[in-house]
Amino acid sequence: MDVLKNFSEINQSIVIKEGNEIKTISALKNILSKAVVKENFPKDFAIYDLPTFIGFHSTMLTPDFEFKDDCVVMEDKHGKGKYFYAEPSLVVTPPEKEIDMPNSDIEFELKHEVLEDIMKKANVLKLTDIGLKSCPKSKSLFLYATNKKTDTSNDYSVKVGDSNGEDKFNIIFKKDNLKIIPGDYVVTITNGISHFVYSSDKYDIQYWIALEADSQYKTA
């Protein structure tokens, strides 16, 4: 359910396919995610209001699921309820073709505690953008929070890795686009898109998140 909660922040509707892969894409198609989970879904179905579905599930005590032709039945020791599927054509769905990421221009490890720290500071300071920049002088990579449209913006930065001292880049994300499950990620960036990868004993999850158009990078 953690994956579905996260996906509901990206798109409040979803089509789940038979098997153990779950995909979603934002309405603006600038965030795409895929998770491989332990559960196997026995059939294809669509949920139009995913937050309501999750909320309904949260009121039950470890319910059993039965996937019928037109609804899913959830039952716990107190009772059972039906949640009816939606028409799949009403849902914005990811493309069938997988994204083929070319060789990355930038790669670094993003620890959960680092992103959590950055996001907390950004929220307190009311900052709207998260950036990744190189510092050729110190040969370092910094993740930072700022308001890119304000020259005198407050900001906050954390070193997240080393650079070769030759590559020069300033990658910008909208803070609200970094809707990722807490975890330690390997992040690669190339050709205007970023790729976040995280594996746990519960699921393997990937996000492809578009960069802002004013991102700048020049690699040696």
Side-chain angles (χ1 to χ4, degrees), residues 11 13-15 24-29 88-94:
N11 187 332
S13 302
I14 195 168
V15 173
T24 192
I25 192 169
S26 63
L28 295 177
K29 299 185 178 180
S89 63
L90 298 176
V91 180
V92 177
T93 56

Side-chain angles (χ1 to χ4, degrees), residues 34-173:
K34 179 179 79 170
V36 178
V37 298
K38 301 300 182 185
E39 299 83 1
N40 262 289
F41 295 96
K43 65 190 309 317
D44 296 358
F45 62 96
I47 297 174
Y48 187 75
D49 189 344
L50 189 52
T52 296
F53 176 81
I54 293 167
F56 179 43
H57 172 270
S58 71
T59 66
M60 307 191 82
L61 299 174
T62 58
D64 294 322
F65 290 84
E66 183 182 359
F67 294 90
K68 294 182 174 292
D69 289 340
D70 59 351
C71 68
V72 57
V73 177
M74 285 185 268
E75 182 174 5
D76 66 7
K77 65 180 182 180
H78 298 299
K80 66 179 178 180
K82 297 177 182 177
Y83 194 95
F84 283 87
Y85 307 138
E87 170 56 47
S89 63
L90 298 176
V91 180
V92 177
T93 56
E96 291 293 332
K97 185 178 179 181
E98 297 284 342
I99 293 180
D100 183 17
M101 287 287 289
N103 292 333
S104 63
D105 296 321
I106 303 163
E107 181 173 333
F108 69 102
E109 291 186 11
L110 178 57
K111 298 293 186 181
H112 162 60
E113 58 268 22
V114 171
L115 182 59
E116 183 180 48
D117 180 44
I118 287 277
M119 297 298 260
K120 283 181 178 178
K121 301 298 194 300
N123 289 334
V124 169
L125 295 173
K126 297 181 174 60
L127 305 176
T128 57
D129 305 292
I130 303 296
L132 176 73
K133 62 184 177 182
S134 61
C135 178
K137 185 176 180 180
S138 65
K139 295 185 178 181
S140 300
L141 300 179
F142 292 93
L143 195 70
Y144 67 98
T146 189
N147 282 333
K148 66 180 184 179
K149 294 182 179 179
T150 305
D151 292 338
T152 57
S153 170
N154 299 317
D155 63 22
Y156 178 73
S157 63
V158 177
K159 181 180 176 180
V160 293
D162 299 317
S163 71
N164 58 19
E166 297 178 2
D167 295 345
K168 297 179 181 180
F169 52 83
N170 185 27
I171 305 301
I172 305 294
F173 299 93

Side-chain angles (χ1 to χ4, degrees), residues 106 130-132 144 148 168-174 189 191-193 209-218:
I106 303 163
I130 303 296
L132 176 73
Y144 67 98
K148 66 180 184 179
K168 297 179 181 180
F169 52 83
N170 185 27
I171 305 301
I172 305 294
F173 299 93
K174 280 192 178 297
I189 298 172
N191 289 344
I193 193 167
I209 303 174
L211 310 180
E212 291 299 283
D214 51 356
S215 294
Q216 302 172 354
Y217 53 98
K218 180 179 180 181

